Amino acid sequence: MNIPVCSGTYIEEIIASLANLYDDVEKATHAFTARYGIACPPGCGSCCEHFIPDITHSEAAYIAAYLLFELKDEETIEKLYRHNGSGCPLYRSDTPFHCSVYPARPLICRLYASSAYHDKYGKTLFRSCRYEEAETMPKYLYFDEHVVTMQDFAYRLRSLDCDRGRLSLLSEILPDLLKQLQFIASLISHNDSEEPLVG
Ligand code: SF4
């Protein structure tokens, strides 16, 4: 994601770090789902209809930058500000994969039903999506070998934030980050438009 107004700011660093992390997640989950025959049913978006993800400050900044500067999607931004429902405010049934910000979606959305996890006994397992009824993925898998887990990437994600990756509901934190970025962008454009001083 190339965000010219954020050049040299902490937002630019966040975007670069998260882009690297998300690249690694995509490669790892693609290999995992291909190896174990896991796929979502075509056209399904049930998880997003009934779920609001918890995300970090960095992830909220990433999505906000994507919405404001890459997508420039005022309709989705307005919808976010007005949201008071129980599903994800970024869910849109008429978009590919049903997500308004699919390339910038947060970590949990990339890992859900696409990776294994460690349970409280230290076992590594995969459990299918709770909404999946079309049998496009196994219900349970147990692993002795090393496989990609949610925890592997969660630790990396949390190391990017100085508050150790405190999680907030997307619908609560994203409007704040949008306002912050809109403010930064307005300051930059104001400074750029000022007449240079002539000595
Ligand atoms: S951010 Fe996108 S993928 Fe994640 S729950 Fe919302 S609509 Fe679904």
Side-chain angles (χ1 to χ4, degrees):
M1 187 173 8
N2 180 24
I3 311 292
V5 294
C6 292
S7 177
T9 67
Y10 84 103
I11 299 289
E12 190 180 46
E13 279 179 40
I14 285 172
I15 286 167
S17 303
L18 269 179
N20 278 338
L21 173 59
Y22 289 159
D23 271 355
D24 291 347
V25 172
E26 291 303 299
K27 286 179 198 138
T29 53
H30 188 268
F32 178 78
T33 53
R35 178 168 177 194
Y36 295 102
I38 296 165
C40 294
C44 180
S46 296
C47 54
C48 312
E49 272 184 276
H50 303 285
F51 167 72
I52 302 179
D54 283 317
I55 62 174
T56 65
H57 184 275
S58 293
E59 289 187 295
Y62 193 94
I63 297 170
Y66 180 76
L67 272 170
L68 281 172
F69 307 125
E70 187 99 355
L71 220 53
K72 303 184 174 115
D73 183 349
E74 288 180 15
E75 187 190 333
T76 299
I77 292 169
E78 278 308 308
K79 198 174 141 201
L80 256 167
Y81 283 136
R82 291 196 312 269
H83 178 265
N84 61 3
S86 56
C88 181
L90 298 172
Y91 171 77
R92 269 182 63 173
S93 57
D94 59 342
T95 56
F97 309 109
H98 304 315
C99 177
S100 315
V101 298
Y102 191 76
R105 70 198 186 286
L107 183 69
I108 185 64
C109 306
R110 294 168 191 267
L111 293 175
Y112 182 67
S114 299
S115 63
Y117 65 98
H118 300 302
D119 71 6
K120 60 184 176 183
Y121 305 107
K123 292 194 173 6
T124 307
L125 64 147
F126 168 84
R127 191 168 58 184
S128 72
C129 169
R130 66 163 76 172
Y131 301 107
E132 202 275 328
E133 290 173 352
E135 300 185 1
T136 59
M137 61 181 78
K139 286 280 175 221
Y140 289 97
L141 292 170
Y142 297 88
F143 302 97
D144 291 324
E145 70 273 29
H146 176 78
V147 292
V148 56
T149 68
M150 290 193 173
Q151 283 94 342
D152 294 337
F153 289 110
Y155 292 136
R156 266 181 72 184
L157 176 70
R158 291 178 180 206
S159 72
L160 300 178
D161 283 279
C162 53
D163 62 2
R164 295 189 190 171
R166 190 165 64 86
L167 295 171
S168 308
L169 216 52
L170 177 145
S171 52
E172 291 174 2
I173 191 172
L174 192 51
D176 288 346
L177 265 295
L178 280 166
K179 283 179 198 153
Q180 283 176 31
L181 282 196
Q182 279 171 322
F183 179 67
I184 292 170
S186 72
L187 283 182
I188 291 170
S189 74
H190 175 75
N191 286 347
D192 286 350
S193 66
E194 285 200 338
E195 290 286 318
L197 289 176
V198 180

